[in-house]
């Protein structure tokens, strides 16, 4: 083990297992490690660095705001906070009644959404419906919404009332009644392996929740801020939810999250009912304003749609026997494998200087910066094709008894 690996093994909580590399700097879609090895970053910190690394707009916004005002608490309002609230309301179509609560992460945004559901439901509506394979975070409320038992069971008992149902229209229809406070869904289940909802699901969820008086809450933490080729995943469907949660890409690398509420859901929180010391701080909100303004003015939502289609076509054209299909939307892409070897592919890619992610053993997740162009796609295809050949060669060697993958 190298010195940094020793340090990490000794000093960091072992929640993330062994770290893959010690990264020291980044620029655009590239990262460098402590040995100055360069990596093409097609993960973007898990759909976070929307503009790539060290983008001048990000650097200028954070530097200027740090030199002006970084924190005051929520006893006070600040100009970047108000600007970001208005911007998010506009982008999310939240209208005049919309309101924004700022958090520091995705899980915290979902905690706020959970409390919103409780405020709406009261004792009459104790049920909250979430989806099997859904991921909403690791704090206790967001964990209760998260389906995966391996994440939840060691921490039970969970906050009550959450039921995980299959992601089918029939299951939703069967589960809905007037005791449901809220339905929470991701438009694309990113952590589950970039799995889209069935066609028409959000529309049906909207009409069923309206019929039964429940809130429709959409977790846009991974899909928001242009990643899917629209501002939000739900924007593809032409519906209006009661609330959305945001984080990741809106800050482009600065930790910030938000809950945006619509219509009467905006009246549920009252003074003292929720809060956060850091939420909506001037530093984070100034950066998010700059990142979202750049996404808008540079046409990066459209770029995500075009580059996503281009990337999927090029991956499919590789005709690799290791690849079954691709799925997802915009620049949130799942590459579905023919064998459960995603971990081996991720390691081989890293050797080659490419950062990608194994969402599960059968699926590689790609979530590059929204501003990638031809050059990054060409380089990705070259590195990915070489990686797949490396893995195929070691599979062949292991089959002939020489090496194991
Ligand atoms: N919701 C979704 C859909 C996510 O993908 C994630 C993170 O991967 C979260 C919530 C949790 O966000 P955070 O890790 O910022 O707490």
């Amino acid at each position: 083990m190298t010195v940094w690996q020793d340090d990490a093994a000794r000093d960091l909580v072992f929640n993330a297992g062994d770290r893959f590399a010690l990264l020291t700097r980044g620029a655009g879609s590239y990262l460098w490690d402590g040995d100055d090895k360069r990596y093409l970053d097609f993960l973007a910190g898990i759909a976070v660095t929307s503009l790539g690394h060290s983008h001048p707009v990000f650097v200028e916004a954070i530097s200027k705001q740090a030199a002006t005002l970084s924190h005051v608490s929520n006893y006070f309002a600040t100009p970047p906070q108000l600007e970001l609230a208005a911007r998010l309301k506009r982008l999310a179509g939240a209208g005049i009644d919309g309101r924004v609560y700022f958090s520091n992460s995705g899980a915290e945004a979902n905690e706020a959404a959970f409390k919103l559901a409780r405020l709406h439901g009261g004792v009459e509506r104790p049920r909250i419906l979430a989806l099997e394979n859904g991921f909403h975070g690791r704090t206790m409320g967001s964990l209760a919404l998260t389906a995966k038992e391996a994440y939840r069971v060691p921490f039970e008992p969970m906050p009550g009332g959450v039921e995980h149902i299959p992601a089918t229209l029939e299951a939703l229809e069967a589960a809905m009644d007037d005791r449901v406070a809220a339905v929470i869904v991701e438009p694309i289940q990113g952590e589950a392996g970039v799995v889209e909802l069935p066609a028409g699901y959000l529309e049906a969820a909207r009409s069923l929740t309206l019929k039964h008086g429940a809130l429709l809450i959409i977790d846009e933490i991974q899909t928001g801020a242009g990643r899917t080729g629209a501002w939000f995943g739900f924007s593809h469907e032409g519906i209006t939810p009661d609330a959305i949660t945001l984080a990741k890409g809106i800050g482009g690398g600065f930790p910030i999250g938000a809950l945006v509420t619509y219509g009467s859901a905006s009246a549920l929180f009252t003074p003292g009912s929720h809060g956060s010391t850091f939420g909506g701080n001037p530093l984070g909100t100034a950066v998010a304003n700059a990142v979202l303004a750049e996404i808008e003015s540079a046409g990066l939502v459209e770029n995500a749609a075009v580059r996503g289609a281009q990337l999927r076509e090029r991956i499919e054209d590789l005709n690799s026997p290791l690849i079954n299909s691709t799925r997802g939307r915009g620049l949130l892409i799942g590459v579905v494998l023919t064998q459960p070897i995603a971990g081996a592919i991720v390691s081989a890619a890293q050797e080659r200087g490419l950062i990608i992610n194994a969402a599960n053993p059968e699926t590689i997740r790609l979530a590059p910066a929204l501003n990638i162009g031809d050059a990054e796609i060409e380089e990705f295809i070259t590195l990915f094709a070489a990686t797949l050949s490396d893995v195929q060669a070691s599979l062949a060697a292991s089959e002939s008894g020489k090496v194991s993958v």
Side-chain angles (χ1 to χ4, degrees):
M1 285 216 284
T2 61
V3 172
W4 76 262
Q5 282 170 321
D6 284 338
D7 291 350
R10 188 190 56 240
D11 297 337
L12 299 179
V13 168
F14 202 55
N15 62 331
D18 292 327
R19 266 61 175 186
F20 295 135
L22 180 73
L23 298 174
T24 53
R25 67 194 165 93
S29 281
Y30 296 96
L31 288 163
W32 284 264
D33 69 15
D35 299 323
D36 225 25
K37 175 174 168 181
R38 192 182 83 150
Y39 300 85
L40 177 66
D41 180 13
F42 261 46
L43 181 58
I46 320 183
V48 168
T49 48
S50 328
L51 306 182
H53 300 282
S54 310
H55 192 286
V57 162
F58 179 96
V59 174
E60 192 191 334
I62 202 164
S63 311
K64 257 192 176 168
Q65 191 60 43
T68 307
L69 185 67
S70 59
H71 179 80
V72 292
S73 91
N74 282 303
Y75 288 125
F76 307 94
T78 65
Q81 179 192 51
L82 299 179
E83 185 185 332
L84 184 60
R87 185 186 300 276
L88 289 176
K89 280 177 59 173
R90 172 174 63 81
L91 294 175
I96 189 78
D97 296 330
R99 286 185 185 273
V100 181
Y101 168 80
F102 288 115
S103 66
N104 310 289
S105 67
E108 282 176 76
N110 282 337
E111 286 293 328
F114 197 127
K115 289 176 81 171
L116 189 81
R118 285 274 201 261
L119 288 174
H120 175 70
V123 287
E124 307 285 310
R125 294 174 174 272
R127 304 178 64 211
I128 295 176
L129 303 182
L131 298 189
E132 285 178 1
N133 299 318
F135 183 84
H136 299 286
R138 309 280 202 143
T139 55
M140 291 304 282
S142 64
L143 185 58
L145 299 170
T146 292
K148 198 167 175 170
E149 289 203 351
Y151 293 165
R152 280 190 291 123
V153 170
F155 303 101
E156 285 178 341
M158 290 286 115
V162 181
E163 296 164 44
H164 294 100
I165 59 171
T168 64
L169 296 174
E170 298 72 36
L172 181 62
E173 220 158 324
M176 280 304 293
D177 64 20
D178 292 350
R179 286 168 52 79
V180 174
V183 174
I184 179 162
V185 295
E186 299 158 83
I188 298 176
Q189 295 181 323
E191 298 302 300
V194 192
V195 180
E196 286 172 84
L197 289 173
Y201 190 93
L202 283 182
E203 255 179 292
R206 178 66 289 184
S207 57
L208 283 167
T209 46
L210 282 174
K211 180 175 158 200
H212 290 282
L215 300 181
L216 176 61
I217 301 172
I218 304 191
D219 181 336
E220 294 276 1
I221 286 161
Q222 193 154 155
T223 47
R227 175 135 308 268
T228 68
W231 269 105
F232 305 98
F234 80 84
S235 325
H236 296 284
E237 312 302 327
I239 58 147
T240 302
D242 296 298
I244 62 171
T245 51
L246 301 168
K248 289 187 183 277
I250 64 168
F254 193 95
I256 180 169
L259 169 76
V260 181
T261 55
Y262 297 67
S264 58
S266 298
L268 290 167
F269 281 119
T270 49
S273 56
H274 197 43
S276 156
T277 298
F278 294 122
N281 66 77
L283 204 50
T285 50
V287 175
N289 275 316
V291 168
L292 294 171
E294 175 69 13
I295 291 175
E296 204 165 7
S297 65
L300 299 186
V301 179
E302 298 75 19
N303 195 58
V306 171
R307 298 303 180 179
Q310 186 183 351
L311 197 49
R312 281 176 67 176
E313 201 181 312
R314 295 295 308 276
I315 293 167
E316 282 164 17
D317 284 350
L318 289 174
N319 284 318
S320 166
L322 301 182
I323 295 176
N324 185 1
S325 57
T326 64
R327 63 188 177 205
R329 219 159 186 172
L331 285 173
L332 184 57
I333 297 174
V335 181
V336 185
L337 305 171
T338 51
Q339 306 176 46
I341 50 167
I345 291 179
V346 167
S347 305
Q350 201 185 312
E351 285 293 313
R352 289 254 173 204
L354 172 65
I355 294 180
I356 52 179
N357 165 254
N360 61 41
E362 288 87 23
T363 318
I364 298 288
R365 174 175 39 183
L366 306 177
L370 304 185
N371 54 6
I372 58 164
D374 286 335
E376 287 86 355
I377 290 180
E378 286 309 317
E379 189 174 352
F380 168 80
I381 290 296
T382 304
L383 290 171
F384 195 49
T387 298
L388 294 171
S389 302
D390 293 346
V391 173
Q392 247 180 293
S394 34
L395 281 172
S398 78
E399 266 159 33
S400 65
K402 286 190 217 141
V403 199
S404 64
V405 175

